[in-house]
């Protein structure tokens, strides 16, 4: 688990309050397992606490997060633009491995699934 500086590469609206943000990190955050997430700290005093986000995709130093605006933190994130800095803490949570030889059942809800 590392706290890593990130810079927004893109932050695009997908429609109906959904966005996808791509960040370039100062260094890789290490191996990430399905089910893990990151905590994002936005600059400034307006948003004090970090916000949790599921990892949509990761490739070396580039991480993609899909999110839905639901509160002050995600609303603030939706206004951020390319070049804006963020701090990313992660990966967090207990990930899991996928056994491709067995049938999977997934029960979940929300944008993180």
């Amino acid at each position: 688990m590392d706290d890593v500086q990130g810079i927004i590469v893109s932050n695009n609206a997908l429609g109906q309050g959904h966005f996808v943000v791509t960040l370039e990190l100062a260094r890789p955050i290490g191996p990430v397992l399905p089910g893990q997430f990151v905590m994002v700290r936005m600059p400034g005093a307006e948003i004090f606490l970090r916000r949790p986000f599921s990892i949509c995709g990761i490739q070396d130093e580039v991480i993609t997060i899909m999110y839905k605006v639901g509160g002050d933190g995600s609303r603030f994130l939706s206004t951020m633009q390319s070049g804006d800095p963020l701090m990313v803490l992660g990966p967090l949570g207990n990930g899991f491995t996928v056994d491709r030889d067995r049938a999977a059942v997934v029960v979940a809800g929300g944008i993180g699934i």
Side-chain angles (χ1 to χ4, degrees), residues 10-89:
S10 64
N11 192 15
N12 299 313
L14 299 176
Q16 297 184 344
H18 292 80
F19 290 79
V20 62
V21 62
T22 301
L23 306 169
E24 185 170 353
L25 304 177
R27 64 181 183 282
I29 59 173
V32 176
L33 295 173
Q36 290 187 301
F37 64 98
V38 293
M39 296 290 286
V40 175
R41 184 176 74 206
M42 284 148 251
E46 301 88 23
I47 307 300
F48 179 69
L49 298 174
R50 291 177 184 259
R51 298 303 198 265
F53 292 101
S54 297
I55 299 167
C56 182
I58 189 163
Q59 180 74 37
D60 300 321
E61 294 90 17
V62 178
I63 186 169
T64 304
I65 297 168
M66 187 185 325
Y67 65 98
K68 180 179 179 182
V69 174
D72 292 340
S74 55
R75 187 173 300 107
F76 184 81
L77 179 59
S78 73
T79 67
M80 296 183 74
Q81 300 177 7
S82 179
D84 288 343
L86 296 171
M87 292 300 292
V88 177
L89 178 65

Side-chain angles (χ1 to χ4, degrees), residues 85-102:
L86 296 171
M87 292 300 292
V88 177
L89 178 65
L92 301 168
N94 295 321
F96 58 89
T97 57
V98 177
D99 183 353
R100 300 203 184 270
D101 295 330
R102 298 178 61 180

